[in-house]
Amino acid sequence: MKASEYNKKLPAFLHRTDKQLQAEQDRQAALKPSTFTYNEDNVLFNRALVDERAATEALGLQKDAESIAFNRLKLAEAQLELGKFDEAYKTHPDKRYSQWLKKIRDAGSEPCDCPKSKQYNEQRGAERNIIELPNYRLWRMVYNGSPSQYISIFVCNICKSVWKDHS
């Protein structure tokens, strides 16, 4: 806005120069709060933190076995989402799943020695294609201490071995 336009309807003691107007606009811009941007990773990470805290508090208050088992399950899932494999393994109420979490906890970062892919002979009408299918799959991606760091958990479809990739 130009000072001449600003001063047009004001009394003389309120008149400002272009420099004064620019300084005031800069001051107001500096005071303006930064815009909020939605980041799904931050929301999901914080959700896991809240779930962990809520389940921990609920475990201290519950008396019946069903509620305790439910909150232990909720706590273990939140810990798994946060990448706390040791705590999740010890907390989970299901023994078979707990053993699976122990396997993940003990997994290294090196994949197994199985072939990485297999050939599949695909036929569509008279045409045949040979395509490569992977012998492993991404089981889950979990956080590694912050919303911007991940651990990818892979499982071999042949030998069922597990490895983690910290990215």
Side-chain angles (χ1 to χ4, degrees), residues 121-129:
N121 192 353
E122 177 187 53
Q123 183 173 354
R124 291 186 179 181
E127 188 177 327
R128 298 191 95 148
N129 292 325

Side-chain angles (χ1 to χ4, degrees), residues 106-113 116 154 156 161-166:
D106 297 338
S109 59
E110 294 297 317
C112 62
D113 294 330
K116 298 299 172 216
F154 292 95
C156 178
S161 67
V162 178
W163 69 91
K164 298 182 274 195
D165 178 35
H166 297 266

